[in-house]
Amino acid sequence: MAAQTAEGTSVTEPTSPPTAEKRDYSYTQHGITISDPYNWMKDQSYPTVDDKDVLDHLKAENEWFEARMAPQKALVDELYEEMKARVKEDDSSVPQKDGDWIYWSEFEEGAEYRKYYRKPVAGGEAQLILDENALAEGHEYFRLGAFSVSKNGRYLAYSSDTNGSERFTARIKDLETGELLPDEIPGTLTGLTWVMDDKAIVYGLANEQWRVHDATLHVLGTPISEDVELYRETENDGFRVGAGLSAQEDWLIIAVGDSETSEVRMVRADNPTGEQILVAARKTGREYDVDVRDGTLYIHTNDDHVNFRLATASLDNPGEWTTLIAGSDEFYLSDFELFKDFYVTEGRLRGLDQIQLRSYADPNLVKPIAFTEASFSTGLSNNPEYDTQKLRLAYESMVTPDSVYDYHVGNGELELLKQQEIPSGYDANLYQVERIEIAARDGTMVPVSIVSRKDREAGGPLHLYAYGAYGFAYPPNFSTTRLSLVDRGFAFAIAHIRGGDDLGRNWYLQGKLNERTNTFNDFVDVAKGLIAKGYTQQGKISASGGSAGGELMGVVLNTNPELWGAVVAHVPFVDVLNTMLDKDLPLTPGEWPEWGNPIESKQAFAYILSYSPYDQVVAQDYPPLLVTAGLNDPRVTYWEPMKWVAKLREYKTDENELLLKTNMGAGHGGKSGRFASIYEVAEEYAFILWQMGLTE
């Protein structure tokens, strides 16, 4: 079958899926030999990918994706247009005061990216300070990284990535003249922090393995070659370094660590090359973070309770910590923020987000900010000023659009400033949210948040989503794109499975390392429980997840393929064993506390091998599967989904669809721009509806 390209030339569409070549390759570890005939798909010159065989195979997979999805183009376009119609094209953020200026951002109609503005508090004209659209011009991909205005309001330090590799180039703009300074720092991977009375910034560079091991000082107007390292991590290759300012902006805080161990240093922000204060030396398994107010340190740590406590210490004796808020089995203390007259603690109680105002004078005085929905997501938003009597909050639920509030500290009033507008119309009364619990096979009760139309028929199609890793609690949030499934009769369920910290730190610990399989079992058991409770039926469940959630998809496809009507795995971390054995990959050393180190431990090797989706592919029927990847993805390298799909094509015994789409100019997050990313969701939903026979 022939088709026309944009240039008018004729091309032949493929009539069968690409078959990957197998090349002999094996390795032996701990006396166990593993055969990996698709190892060649990892380009040996990575991160440069120029191997012709690799690129040709990815191209063939993309052509197969386009050919198979072509008959669904009308459905994709229909979904895209209805999703796009829910987006307010000429939208703006709620202005926020910071010093002498009020800042906000805007989308213009039809624009993919934002423009950033400010105007004087005292009155005056709005000033365009940054235009993402202009920066993105000529690039297939664009992402703004750091965005930091100097305290005096004169300079803007920002960074951008134009290929998805997450290596950002930092620039500095003079907001008085509108000109870029000659200072240019390529390869950054952190925020940009103003110090030395706005004469310098602190940044960190991504090394060859995409790890930040430094906090470096750049003085404006000096050559990059003269920049001064304030700190370099040399002991642990898996540790990362980051820097930021204290609440009163008088201290530069330099933090190092991984997912289970922390170490913090402090130095005066007006003299960043001066003597540093080490708060407490690293101790494996102890996490802590620090802020300082009027000479008193506030330390958030898990040293004596898994759900963290808040302690204080003096600058003279920073390692001697006195409990301010004790750790609690019920309340998970996830964060805190200091203000002039009060401080705020954030966390979760029975899995629901909490914001609490607290008094410096009376530790027992706690004022929670209350919300009434059964399931919701809330937290502090942008609060740049230390001396304030208003708190900016973000709030949403699965039926309540993204909402911005100011909380007035004096009288406890919640003032709604803006709620996400849906131009095509939205009636929250048509929908219902439930939060239920389903028993996993070990008796653990797993929370599930569900949104559906009130007029939905019981037992209909259901989409099940989860992440379940790194202690990230996937929020029960609002989604305009999700409505395209829900309005077609789907229930949409988020499984709050172990591996996230939805129910506290132990919930996370019970889904990592040697308890990782709890995560996968929870997801399967939630699906079975939803069937048993009459929400859906076997084979009527679509499922999706990305990155570590893509690993989840890979495992449950292997263990319980009969449950799923269609599965979508985005940038899936599926070649777990090989990745954890490769210490030169960007994330690997820092990931060993999460997954285990199969290089040193035979037990870790065997355990990871027992669930690694790529290694556990077997000859069986698999449900329809769509897989996405990014050629420039530094987090889940392109060859993981590529190898997995090749092996599935070799082993699977069914005729169901198996499609791989690789973004050749993007990374972990897929395409950039608000409309380009929506189109990819439309493709995903079209695939699900097509495969589940629900296109009419």
Side-chain angles (χ1 to χ4, degrees):
M1 180 178 178
Q4 296 290 318
T5 67
E7 292 76 21
T9 57
S10 179
V11 294
T12 302
E13 291 186 351
T15 56
S16 61
T19 301
E21 180 184 352
K22 297 174 67 174
R23 301 178 186 176
D24 287 341
Y25 176 83
S26 63
Y27 63 91
T28 300
Q29 189 85 16
H30 304 297
I32 301 171
T33 298
I34 304 291
S35 176
D36 188 5
Y38 301 113
N39 177 72
W40 64 269
M41 293 180 172
K42 175 187 175 182
D43 194 318
Q44 295 306 301
S45 60
Y46 182 81
T48 299
V49 184
D50 55 11
D51 185 299
K52 185 177 184 301
D53 291 347
V54 169
L55 294 173
D56 284 350
H57 189 76
L58 289 174
K59 179 183 177 184
E61 287 284 7
N62 279 348
E63 289 174 349
W64 181 242
F65 168 84
E66 295 292 344
R68 297 303 296 162
M69 288 295 293
Q72 307 306 319
K73 187 176 187 310
L75 177 58
V76 174
D77 290 344
E78 175 188 337
L79 289 163
Y80 173 69
E81 290 301 327
E82 68 184 50
M83 291 175 184
K84 187 178 178 183
R86 300 189 190 109
V87 176
K88 187 175 184 337
E89 295 204 20
D90 54 341
D91 201 7
S92 63
S93 65
V94 178
Q96 178 65 300
K97 178 179 176 293
D98 186 3
D100 295 331
W101 299 86
I102 296 171
Y103 293 86
W104 74 96
S105 65
E106 295 182 2
F107 279 112
E108 293 181 348
E109 188 168 350
E112 290 277 8
Y113 302 100
R114 294 180 182 270
K115 289 183 174 182
Y116 294 82
Y117 293 89
R118 71 176 185 180
K119 65 180 179 181
V121 172
E125 295 297 316
Q127 174 189 6
L128 175 64
I129 59 176
L130 193 71
D131 183 354
E132 287 186 0
N133 299 280
L135 295 175
E137 193 170 336
H139 298 289
E140 183 178 347
Y141 178 95
F142 175 82
R143 178 182 166 194
L144 185 68
F147 182 96
S148 178
V149 177
S150 61
K151 193 172 182 179
N152 62 14
R154 177 166 181 179
Y155 300 106
L156 167 65
Y158 70 91
S159 63
S160 59
D161 167 22
T162 55
N163 63 13
S165 66
E166 299 186 46
R167 294 175 186 272
F168 295 81
T169 298
R171 299 300 308 267
I172 297 168
K173 184 176 182 179
D174 186 333
L175 297 180
E176 289 186 2
T177 67
E179 299 297 320
L180 286 175
L181 301 187
D183 313 60
E184 183 174 342
I185 310 171
T188 64
L189 190 57
T190 61
L192 304 171
T193 304
W194 288 98
V195 293
M196 285 176 54
D197 297 322
D198 300 328
K199 297 183 182 69
I201 58 171
V202 176
Y203 66 91
L205 290 175
N207 64 14
E208 290 183 0
Q209 285 77 37
W210 194 72
R211 304 167 197 154
V212 176
H213 286 159
D214 68 295
T216 299
L217 178 73
H218 172 71
V219 178
L220 271 60
T222 64
I224 303 301
S225 59
E226 296 179 7
D227 288 358
V228 178
E229 276 191 1
L230 303 178
Y231 178 81
R232 173 161 290 277
E233 174 60 28
T234 57
E235 293 181 31
N236 190 318
D237 202 35
F239 275 23
R240 305 297 176 95
V241 179
L245 292 178
S246 63
Q248 292 171 292
E249 300 186 341
D250 51 349
W251 289 91
L252 177 70
I253 299 173
I254 302 172
V256 303
D258 58 16
S259 64
E260 65 175 14
T261 304
S262 310
E263 186 175 80
V264 175
R265 290 167 173 78
M266 298 168 48
V267 63
R268 296 291 306 188
D270 57 2
N271 183 26
T273 58
E275 183 179 356
Q276 297 179 5
I277 297 173
L278 174 62
V279 176
R282 66 191 65 178
K283 183 191 298 184
T284 299
R286 180 179 68 182
E287 298 174 73
Y288 74 94
D289 54 281
V290 175
D291 204 345
V292 57
R293 172 185 179 267
D294 296 341
T296 297
L297 301 182
Y298 289 75
I299 302 107
H300 171 241
T301 180
N302 66 344
D303 62 347
D304 74 355
H305 197 288
V306 68
N307 276 340
F308 287 77
R309 65 170 174 144
L310 189 64
T312 58
S314 70
L315 277 169
D316 295 334
N317 193 4
E320 188 68 32
W321 300 348
T322 301
T323 295
L324 181 63
I325 302 173
S328 165
D329 292 341
E330 291 77 33
F331 179 68
Y332 172 40
L333 178 60
S334 60
D335 202 1
F336 74 102
E337 192 163 340
L338 304 180
F339 297 92
K340 182 175 182 291
D341 298 324
F342 59 90
Y343 66 102
V344 176
T345 51
E346 294 186 89
R348 275 185 289 282
L349 186 65
R350 294 183 294 277
L352 292 178
D353 290 344
Q354 305 289 312
I355 306 171
Q356 305 169 332
L357 271 72
R358 294 180 178 263
S359 165
Y360 290 114
D362 184 357
N364 297 315
L365 183 59
V366 182
K367 292 174 60 179
I369 301 176
F371 296 97
T372 58
E373 289 189 83
S375 182
F376 58 85
S377 174
T378 189
L380 290 182
S381 182
N382 177 31
N383 291 280
E385 294 192 326
Y386 174 68
D387 186 0
T388 184
Q389 290 300 310
K390 289 192 298 187
L391 289 175
R392 183 65 52 85
L393 310 180
Y395 178 89
E396 60 186 315
S397 77
M398 294 179 82
V399 294
T400 302
D402 185 21
S403 306
V404 179
Y405 287 92
D406 268 351
Y407 177 81
H408 295 263
V409 176
N411 60 16
E413 177 193 350
L414 268 175
E415 178 188 3
L416 179 63
L417 303 178
K418 180 179 180 180
Q419 189 168 84
Q420 179 182 356
E421 184 180 334
I422 303 173
S424 60
Y426 172 71
D427 182 357
N429 293 317
L430 296 176
Y431 306 90
Q432 61 187 0
V433 172
E434 300 171 82
R435 188 174 175 92
I436 65 172
E437 291 185 332
I438 290 176
R441 64 195 66 181
D442 64 359
T444 300
M445 301 305 292
V446 180
V448 186
S449 298
I450 309 168
V451 63
S452 62
R453 297 256 317 202
K454 291 178 180 178
D455 58 0
R456 173 183 180 263
E457 293 183 9
L462 179 143
H463 188 83
L464 185 59
Y465 183 88
Y467 183 70
Y470 299 108
F472 173 71
Y474 195 85
N477 59 354
F478 185 78
S479 166
T480 56
T481 55
R482 183 188 299 152
L483 293 173
S484 290
L485 285 184
V486 175
D487 285 345
R488 285 171 171 81
F490 277 75
F492 194 105
I494 298 171
H496 303 286
I497 56 181
R498 283 174 281 185
D501 64 358
D502 307 62
L503 297 185
R505 196 66 171 177
N506 267 326
W507 200 249
Y508 163 50
L509 299 178
Q510 291 170 26
K512 67 179 289 193
L513 291 173
N514 296 327
E515 296 186 79
R516 179 63 183 154
T517 51
N518 283 333
T519 301
F520 317 132
N521 294 341
D522 285 357
F523 191 82
V524 168
D525 295 342
V526 164
K528 291 180 177 179
L530 290 168
I531 294 169
K533 290 177 180 294
Y535 283 92
T536 189
Q537 302 172 47
Q538 180 169 303
K540 285 192 174 184
I541 304 176
S542 59
S544 66
S547 195
E551 174 200 273
L552 169 66
M553 295 300 103
V555 172
V556 302
L557 279 169
N558 286 333
T559 61
N560 295 85
E562 73 287 348
L563 288 175
W564 323 111
V567 176
V568 180
H570 294 291
V571 290
F573 176 41
V574 284
D575 196 9
V576 185
L577 184 60
N578 281 316
T579 293
M580 288 298 101
L581 285 168
D582 190 343
K583 61 181 177 59
D584 294 324
L585 285 176
L587 294 181
T588 295
E591 297 290 280
W592 287 329
E594 188 77 20
W595 313 103
N597 185 343
I599 299 174
E600 295 183 355
S601 168
K602 183 176 182 178
Q603 182 276 331
F605 182 95
Y607 188 66
I608 295 171
L609 176 62
S610 73
Y611 68 76
S612 176
Y614 174 69
D615 294 284
Q616 294 302 321
V617 170
V618 295
Q620 65 178 4
D621 285 358
Y622 282 89
L625 174 63
L626 168 61
V627 184
T628 68
L631 189 67
N632 300 325
D633 189 345
R635 297 174 184 262
V636 176
T637 50
Y638 74 87
W639 62 81
E640 292 205 35
M642 183 184 182
K643 289 171 63 178
W644 183 45
V645 167
K647 191 170 184 180
L648 282 167
R649 289 205 194 286
E650 177 189 356
Y651 278 84
K652 73 190 194 83
T653 54
D654 58 84
E655 298 298 323
N656 290 327
E657 292 290 343
L658 172 56
L659 303 179
L660 170 63
K661 177 189 177 183
T662 302
N663 281 311
M664 304 302 281
H668 198 63
K671 289 185 176 180
S672 61
R674 56 176 176 163
F675 299 125
S677 58
I678 285 175
Y679 194 83
E680 293 195 323
V681 179
E683 288 181 327
E684 172 188 352
Y685 286 5
F687 176 82
I688 289 169
L689 293 168
W690 167 34
Q691 292 306 309
M692 295 179 68
L694 300 170
T695 56
E696 296 301 324

